[in-house]
């Protein structure tokens, strides 16, 4: 059971405003779904937030540290294209922007795609392509 906004972030689909780092990392290891809402009135004292019951069905191992770092860097600058966001992250080489653009095109995305448009598995494929 988690706060409604957190549960919605875990289960968010690509392209939605709630989609981000928690969505990608949770969905790489689990099938995530919001099972049901929990009324705030069942708690005493009544909180100022709504809650949901989230079901996480494990489908595989947790993402590797490299994939987790890539996802965090990809969403660090949400309003920028993914290649530019990765180029701005610390410790990246000068060619990461061009390599990211090429990898995005190989995945079937435009070179100037934003992070919120990639599905969780595409982040794993992107990490392998850049690795």
């Amino acid at each position: 059971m988690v706060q409604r906004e957190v549960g919605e972030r875990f289960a968010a689909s690509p392209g939605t405003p709630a989609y981000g780092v928690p969505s990608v990392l949770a969905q790489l290891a689990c099938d995530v779904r919001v099972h049901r809402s929990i009324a705030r009135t069942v708690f005493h004292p009544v909180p100022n937030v709504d809650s949901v019951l989230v079901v996480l069905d494990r489908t595989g191992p947790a993402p590797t540290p490299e994939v987790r770092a890539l996802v965090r860097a990809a969403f660090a600058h949400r309003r920028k294209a993914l290649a530019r966001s990765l180029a701005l992250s610390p410790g990246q080489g000068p060619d990461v922007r061009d390599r990211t653009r090429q990898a995005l095109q190989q995945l079937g995305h435009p070179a100037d795609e934003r992070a919120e448009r990639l599905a969780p598995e595409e982040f794993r494929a992107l990490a392998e392509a850049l690795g």
Side-chain angles (χ1 to χ4, degrees):
M1 182 169 37
V2 295
Q3 186 174 332
R4 181 179 49 107
E5 290 82 6
V6 173
E8 289 170 354
R9 281 192 178 277
F10 284 146
S13 299
T16 61
Y19 188 69
V21 175
S23 313
V24 174
L25 296 181
Q27 291 173 31
L28 280 172
C30 303
D31 283 332
V32 182
R33 64 185 168 87
V34 175
H35 180 63
R36 67 183 207 124
S37 296
I38 308 293
R40 63 176 73 185
T41 56
V42 301
F43 300 102
H44 184 72
V46 177
N48 291 327
V49 296
D50 294 316
S51 298
V52 292
L53 192 61
V54 177
V55 177
L56 301 162
D57 289 322
R58 186 72 123 168
T59 58
T64 63
E66 294 80 18
V67 173
R68 288 194 307 264
L70 173 75
V71 171
R72 285 189 198 99
F75 284 97
H77 305 280
R78 254 185 115 84
R79 299 203 182 273
K80 296 200 180 298
L82 177 57
R84 177 75 175 134
S85 187
L86 293 181
L88 292 172
S89 64
Q92 294 300 321
D95 67 335
V96 73
R97 195 172 184 178
D98 292 332
R99 292 183 337 170
T100 302
R101 287 178 174 165
Q102 289 173 350
L104 284 169
Q105 289 176 329
Q106 289 174 352
L107 291 172
H109 289 276
D112 62 346
E113 191 71 277
R114 290 187 176 178
E116 60 263 19
R117 306 296 299 169
L118 270 67
E121 281 301 323
E122 290 176 313
F123 279 100
R124 187 173 282 149
L126 181 61
E128 289 174 16
L130 295 176

